[in-house]
Amino acid sequence: MANSNNMLLASAVVVWEWLNEHGRWRPYSPAVSHQIEAAIRSSDPRGGSVVLGQVDSRLSPYIIDLQSMHQFRQDTGTIRPVRRSFYDPASAPGQGWQWEWENDAGTWTPYDMEVAIAIESAHNRQQPFLDLTPLGFCYLIDFQNMTQVNRQSQRCRRIQRRADMAYPLVSGPLPVPKGGGVGGSGGLTGALLGPCSCQQCMLVLSVKTNTGGTVGGGAGIQTLSRRSLTIQRPKTSALTASKPLMPTAMLITPASSVTTPPSPVPSPSPVVMKPQRTPLAGLSRPALQRIAMAQSRALIASGVPTVPVKNLNGSSPVHPALAGITGILMSAAALPVCLTRPPKLVLHPPPVSKSDIKPVPGFGHCCRKTTKKQARKGKTPEEVVKKYLQKVKSPPEEDCTICMEPLGGPSGYKGPGVGPVSRAESVGRLAQCGHQYHFQCLVAMYNNGNKDGSLQCPTCKTIYGVKTGNQPAGKMEYHVIPHSLPGHPDCKTIRIIYNIPPGIQGPEHPNPGKPFTARGFPRHCYLPDSEKGRKVLRLLLVAWDRRLIFSVGTSSTTGESDTVIWNEVHHKTEFGSNLTGHGFPDPGHLDNVLEELRAQGITEDDGLMEK
């Protein structure tokens, strides 16, 4: 076991980030990061909470719990992880530069911090272009025109470089990274520059203490280049393992204009704390995973030889939990452990040239458009409903499940659009499934739908006629690209590109005449180019023609109303990984999609007619 005497003083900027639904860490603004850092300094060392609306009214529903490191949204109950990341003071966040792209609403969205740092670095080197593919994004940054170009769809968006306040600057001792230095222009995400006093960090510290390491100090100063951290080795006396040195971090308020990395502050006095002991059985799987990864980073940063625990990147959430327990127990037995890094999110395939894009075998076309709403079938709603009903002479003694009134009595519906009916026609039985309802209730239900000539049983969802939806006008493209999906190594990939522009809601939509938004288009989806994958594509084309792929409503992800949303037919939008649950491998995906399409009234017989 190597000694833990390689403690260095370092200056770094702190950026607080939250994890979105796509597995990307999104930065809070500099003002919010300053607020969180101030709360850390002033709150109870065991933890506290931060109300984000105090500095940004748009974030008024959000609270950060510092002990569990999660963001909580009060109105919806949504919980997301947060993290405290460290970056070079000479990089974009330390210099107060924000890089942003223009979204579909015409407002500006900040790039992920690692992407912003890469863009700022390329801008400072006066590069004409920057390819973001190595960072996992299929975009090209054009500095001359200040645009972002999608390399697949060629869609162009404006970008901007905006001056803002610098992120908070801290200085304090941290372990020497493996190799003796801190890397160039990137960040120090996860570096142990002053762990918090939560139960997870205290448990990691107690495990390290029990391995029998000692800490000591030696004189020496190392000044790195402008693109790296300024580091100084603190002078400390040798301490025994029973009195560990808790790395600390002091906040430095940056000047309004920072041009060079600031000099490190004098080393703060060692803080001796007695580590808390927390029973492992009381920790959740995410907590165990955080402990294991924090411990792994600490061992790597202190230069300790490690025994890798491999093959732990499975999709099951049990794997990282077991890895965390294994890491803690092995370290307690003086066997250092280094966990393998988690897989990266891969949303898009590698760049594909036009010559490599091929038609899908068996398809004589590669594009499908929808323009107008299908014509209404049937002269009147009453005629449509009667077409699917059988007369009932003696209604059973049970309630109509639409109005919840007895079938032997009148319909409970009293609204407009439904005329009087004779007693002989007051109750009908749906011919295929046999469920019975008031005739007037079925007519009212039909009037509240698309009025497309189809009817769906509200009890068993059996569809009568051809069901259509309210998907707005748009375009669906599909072709084969020469890359394989995870889990499908023996075939190429079908790429589907949906594109729906924003517009005005029609009479079939929730709020006719009101504008609707279309976020995230064009949307790229993927299928294996196998026999079953092509079968799914044929049925998706039927669903597209029937306007069933998308709908207009309220997004379950963002809470935005009057926007284009998915319509209960799941698609895979993650190409090379499955971190969000919307990627591969997923052995049951194609069968699940076939079942979802069947629920929309689309069967394999419909696919045979699609040529």
Side-chain angles (χ1 to χ4, degrees), residues 138-412:
C138 196
Y139 297 113
L140 184 70
I141 301 297
D142 182 346
F143 289 106
Q144 182 176 357
N145 298 313
M146 290 298 283
T147 57
Q148 166 192 284
V149 181
N150 188 312
R151 298 174 67 93
Q152 294 178 336
S153 66
Q154 300 303 310
R155 183 174 184 180
C156 184
R157 296 180 183 270
R158 292 193 301 161
I159 65 173
Q160 71 173 8
R161 180 176 185 251
R162 180 176 59 84
D164 200 343
M165 66 187 303
Y167 279 87
L169 185 67
V170 297
S171 181
L174 79 163
V176 179
K178 194 171 184 178
V182 181
S185 60
L188 283 175
T189 304
L192 295 180
L193 188 68
C196 63
S197 300
C198 67
Q199 60 180 8
Q200 292 92 339
C201 291
M202 295 301 295
L203 180 58
V204 172
L205 181 63
S206 68
V207 171
K208 288 195 67 184
T209 302
N210 289 336
T211 60
T214 60
V215 293
I221 296 178
Q222 178 183 7
T223 303
L224 304 182
S225 65
R226 174 178 165 81
R227 297 301 305 165
S228 59
L229 297 181
T230 302
I231 296 177
Q232 175 180 342
R233 191 184 307 277
K235 298 178 181 180
T236 58
S237 58
L239 299 174
T240 63
S242 62
K243 293 185 178 181
L245 172 65
M246 170 71 78
T248 59
M250 291 184 62
L251 184 78
I252 303 175
T253 304
S256 59
S257 176
V258 181
T259 57
T260 59
S263 301
V265 299
S267 174
S269 301
V271 178
V272 179
M273 296 186 67
K274 203 167 189 178
Q276 297 174 336
R277 293 305 185 101
T278 304
L280 296 182
L283 297 179
S284 63
R285 286 175 179 170
L288 288 171
Q289 188 175 5
R290 287 195 298 271
I291 296 170
M293 293 308 297
Q295 178 203 21
S296 176
R297 294 186 185 112
L299 292 170
I300 293 172
S302 59
V304 175
T306 57
V307 179
V309 178
K310 298 183 179 179
N311 300 323
L312 295 175
N313 290 333
S315 59
S316 170
V318 176
H319 289 175
L322 291 178
I325 297 173
T326 303
I328 293 171
L329 295 179
M330 291 181 69
S331 288
L335 295 174
V337 177
C338 174
L339 300 183
T340 55
R341 286 184 175 271
K344 288 188 176 181
L345 182 74
V346 182
L347 289 177
H348 302 293
V352 179
S353 64
K354 290 185 178 180
S355 60
D356 289 333
I357 296 176
K358 305 296 182 183
V360 180
F363 290 71
H365 39 71
C366 61
C367 178
R368 191 69 62 90
K369 294 183 178 180
T370 57
T371 53
K372 296 180 180 180
K373 181 180 183 293
Q374 287 86 347
R376 182 185 300 181
K377 301 175 182 178
K379 294 182 180 180
T380 65
E382 287 80 5
E383 289 178 345
V384 173
V385 172
K386 284 181 180 180
K387 184 168 62 173
Y388 305 121
L389 286 183
Q390 298 172 342
K391 292 183 179 180
V392 177
K393 294 183 179 179
S394 300
E397 294 182 359
E398 57 186 51
D399 292 340
C400 170
T401 56
I402 298 177
C403 69
M404 301 309 296
E405 296 291 339
L407 287 172
S411 167

Side-chain angles (χ1 to χ4, degrees), residues 392-558:
V392 177
K393 294 183 179 179
S394 300
E397 294 182 359
E398 57 186 51
D399 292 340
C400 170
T401 56
I402 298 177
C403 69
M404 301 309 296
E405 296 291 339
L407 287 172
S411 167
Y413 180 77
K414 305 298 181 182
V418 178
V421 294
S422 65
R423 183 172 180 81
E425 294 181 334
S426 63
V427 176
R429 178 189 297 109
L430 289 172
Q432 186 175 341
C433 64
H435 289 110
Q436 301 180 36
Y437 305 95
H438 288 122
F439 175 77
Q440 291 174 311
C441 291
L442 287 173
V443 172
M445 184 183 73
Y446 179 83
N447 281 330
N448 287 329
N450 282 343
K451 292 180 281 192
D452 57 0
S454 72
L455 194 69
Q456 187 168 15
C457 174
T459 300
C460 66
K461 308 304 179 184
T462 299
I463 296 174
Y464 296 83
V466 178
K467 179 182 177 180
T468 60
N470 63 5
Q471 174 182 293
K475 182 179 180 181
M476 174 183 179
E477 299 178 74
Y478 38 94
H479 48 249
V480 174
I481 57 176
H483 299 290
S484 297
L485 292 165
H488 299 274
D490 300 328
C491 61
K492 298 178 181 178
T493 298
I494 298 172
R495 179 169 62 187
I496 305 172
I497 303 176
Y498 295 111
N499 203 351
I500 295 179
I504 304 297
Q505 298 183 51
E508 72 275 25
H509 293 135
N511 296 297
K514 185 177 179 180
F516 66 85
T517 59
R519 310 293 188 194
F521 289 94
R523 299 187 185 182
H524 291 227
C525 308
Y526 305 96
L527 292 169
D529 184 26
S530 60
E531 182 179 353
K532 183 176 281 189
R534 291 191 285 271
K535 178 196 295 185
V536 170
L537 176 61
R538 290 189 185 279
L539 298 186
L540 288 176
L541 286 169
V542 176
W544 175 263
D545 289 340
R546 296 182 185 178
R547 306 175 71 201
L548 293 170
I549 300 292
F550 296 96
S551 181
V552 174
T554 300
S555 170
S556 60
T557 303
T558 65

Side-chain angles (χ1 to χ4, degrees), residues 8-19:
L8 299 179
L9 276 179
S11 298
V13 288
V14 176
V15 178
W16 281 83
E17 300 167 310
W18 57 277
L19 187 68

